[in-house]
Amino acid sequence: MPLECINPSDLPVPEIYSQVVIATGSKLVFVSGQQPEDIHGKLVGHGDFAVQARLAFGNLGRALAATGARPEHVCKITIYIVDYKRDEHVPIIEQAQIELFGDHKPANVVVGIAVMSPGYLIEVDAIAIIDPLG
């Protein structure tokens, strides 16, 4: 496996991500921000953060698959959220993230932003690394 996930003993242990990820593979995959859009580029789940989060992570999974990468190859994600409210959004993000990654916990950052395109509430991008030998 090209990734080693580490949680140093002198830092808090996060539930759905790792504090540090060491990547040792040789093929890097950079996935553009995935939004809650259907195959035609139309917004799905207007006003419903949970629906949008599931679709954005689902689209991320589809983008990874197109490169030959699997969710466990992801070393880092960035999650952009309009009007971020930690207590409200984190449980929804956690569920969507677990649906894609299962037990794998890539490094992540959540960025609260003021606005996206009208109606859009979330976007997720990723960096993955693949070891072509296995």
Side-chain angles (χ1 to χ4, degrees):
M1 182 64 139
L3 298 178
E4 180 183 357
C5 298
I6 299 171
N7 287 304
S9 61
D10 54 349
L11 289 175
V13 177
E15 289 188 38
I16 63 163
Y17 65 93
S18 297
Q19 292 285 8
V20 180
V21 177
I22 299 172
T24 57
S26 59
K27 181 178 178 183
L28 293 173
V29 177
F30 298 88
V31 181
S32 294
Q34 298 300 304
Q35 296 180 320
E37 295 178 336
D38 65 19
I39 191 132
H40 305 291
K42 302 295 182 194
L43 174 65
V44 174
H46 193 281
D48 189 329
F49 184 77
V51 168
Q52 289 193 22
R54 282 192 306 274
L55 184 54
F57 275 93
N59 287 345
L60 178 60
R62 286 182 277 286
L64 289 166
T67 72
R70 297 185 307 271
E72 62 267 23
H73 292 137
V74 173
C75 52
K76 182 173 187 303
I77 59 174
T78 305
I79 305 166
Y80 304 89
I81 299 174
V82 173
D83 296 327
Y84 178 55
K85 297 173 186 75
R86 181 180 174 88
D87 291 343
E88 177 182 328
H89 291 120
V90 165
I92 295 168
I93 294 167
E94 287 176 348
Q95 184 59 42
Q97 188 171 334
I98 289 168
E99 287 175 18
L100 176 61
F101 294 108
D103 291 336
H104 177 59
K105 299 176 181 180
N108 80 13
V109 64
V110 177
V111 180
I113 60 174
V115 67
M116 278 188 212
S117 296
Y120 287 73
L121 303 173
I122 186 170
E123 184 170 332
V124 184
D125 67 29
I127 300 171
I129 189 158
I130 302 171
D131 184 351
L133 301 176

